[in-house]
Amino acid sequence: MAAKLLDGKSLAAEIREGLRLEVEELKQAGRAPGLAVVIVGDDPASRRYVNNKKKACEHVGITSYEYALPGETTQEELLALVDKLNKDTAIDGILVQLPLPSHLDEKTVIYNIDPKKDVDAFHPFNVGKIMIGEPDFAPCTPAGVMELIKLTGIEVSGKECVVVGRSNIVGKPQSMLLLAENGTVTVCHSKTKDLAEVTRRADILVAAVGKAKLIKGDMVKKGAVVIDVGMNRLEDGTWSGDVDFEEVKEVASAITPVPGGVGPMTIAMLMKNTVTAYRIKQ
């Protein structure tokens, strides 16, 4: 039997609708939450993400402020803007779209965002809070993955969870969130000896490496829940995840499509984090 499709699109729409009603109430009481998005240069993928975030803000009722800076913006200019946004009382969340052009230091920029406005949860302060199990915000993609797992009715507690990828943006925080739900977590990466042997143990498998169709059907345990975080553009212009969807859907009990799985959830969680940041400030 083919796997159940985990429809991130419709779940994200439900989450956004709930937030829209919440923001409506906040407006009545004072003002709408504000999100500042900073984009440097004209990377097409980054531009697409920023446009999707603006659309989601409009739908939910969050006031969105876009700062589109030229590619040659200096580190000093970018940090001056971040400092200005940190002090701006109308702005509750700040998001600097990554990756930045190579002459800019991403780490320094992230470290300069006020942790209470860091709705991506990349600042070391927020990363530390995730580590001790007391996050104000969870990073948007891993948080979206947790919501999708909940949607399957799958209990994480006691389950073998395998995360393929160890990035600071997805892999590491993902493993912490699964651990917080009492999963038994293994993190795989490019130096893992026999990847297939490890992935076949997983009751819940999260693929987040950025390699198209890396996870094949014979690497997945029968009945596993498979979450595909990858977004890879193929030569023919179509998109593929890190999972070979056609093969794996015959083995898994539930699987996310690409696109339409984790992507919409990531943006819904950004909206949720912005509302949370507003509430923390109040």
Side-chain angles (χ1 to χ4, degrees), residues 46-60:
S46 290
R47 172 41 68 196
R48 199 180 66 249
Y49 288 133
V50 167
N51 288 348
N52 288 343
K53 285 163 187 172
K54 267 166 67 176
K55 248 186 263 171
C57 281
E58 267 169 46
H59 182 265
V60 170

Side-chain angles (χ1 to χ4, degrees), residues 57-278:
C57 281
E58 267 169 46
H59 182 265
V60 170
I62 289 169
T63 308
S64 104
Y65 303 85
E66 184 188 300
Y67 296 85
L69 306 178
E72 59 277 9
T73 298
T74 65
Q75 184 84 3
E76 288 67 33
E77 287 166 336
L78 183 52
L79 291 177
L81 173 61
V82 168
D83 185 49
K84 188 181 105 172
L85 299 175
N86 282 338
K87 291 172 179 154
D88 189 334
T89 54
I91 286 169
D92 304 288
I94 301 169
L95 183 148
V96 177
Q97 184 65 44
L98 304 178
L100 289 170
S102 56
H103 68 281
L104 297 171
D105 181 11
E106 286 182 2
K107 195 196 277 186
T108 304
V109 174
I110 289 164
Y111 284 19
N112 275 276
I113 295 171
D114 178 350
K116 289 189 177 65
K117 295 189 178 191
D118 166 41
V119 284
D120 262 334
F122 294 162
H123 191 286
F125 177 85
N126 288 321
V127 174
K129 293 199 82 169
I130 294 159
M131 285 293 293
I132 61 171
E134 294 174 10
D136 292 326
F137 322 106
C140 303
T141 298
V145 168
M146 296 309 289
E147 290 286 338
L148 277 171
I149 290 170
K150 249 182 241 168
L151 167 74
T152 59
I154 285 275
E155 181 70 41
V156 175
S157 186
K159 293 285 179 3
E160 284 273 355
C161 305
V162 173
V163 179
V164 185
R166 56 173 166 184
S167 71
N168 291 336
I169 291 173
V170 183
K172 286 178 190 170
Q174 189 67 70
S175 60
M176 285 297 117
L177 295 183
L178 288 163
L179 195 58
E181 295 291 329
N182 302 312
T184 301
V185 183
T186 305
V187 180
C188 298
H189 43 79
S190 57
K191 300 286 187 284
T192 298
K193 283 286 195 296
D194 185 347
L195 180 62
E197 189 195 351
V198 185
T199 57
R200 274 193 294 267
R201 296 204 303 258
D203 301 308
I204 298 169
L205 177 62
V206 181
V209 279
K211 280 193 179 168
K213 302 187 183 186
L214 174 73
I215 305 295
K216 302 291 184 189
D218 61 1
M219 297 170 71
V220 176
K221 176 183 185 172
K222 186 112 185 96
V225 172
V226 180
I227 309 278
D228 191 351
V229 179
M231 266 294 259
N232 311 288
R233 193 185 267 285
L234 304 177
E235 280 176 11
D236 64 2
T238 60
W239 293 93
S240 158
D242 293 348
V243 174
D244 190 325
F245 183 84
E246 292 306 319
E247 282 192 16
V248 173
K249 75 175 192 297
E250 301 304 323
V251 188
S253 65
I255 187 170
T256 57
V258 174
V262 175
M265 293 299 295
T266 297
I267 293 179
M269 292 298 122
L270 173 65
M271 300 299 107
K272 190 177 174 183
N273 284 355
T274 304
V275 173
T276 302
Y278 175 98

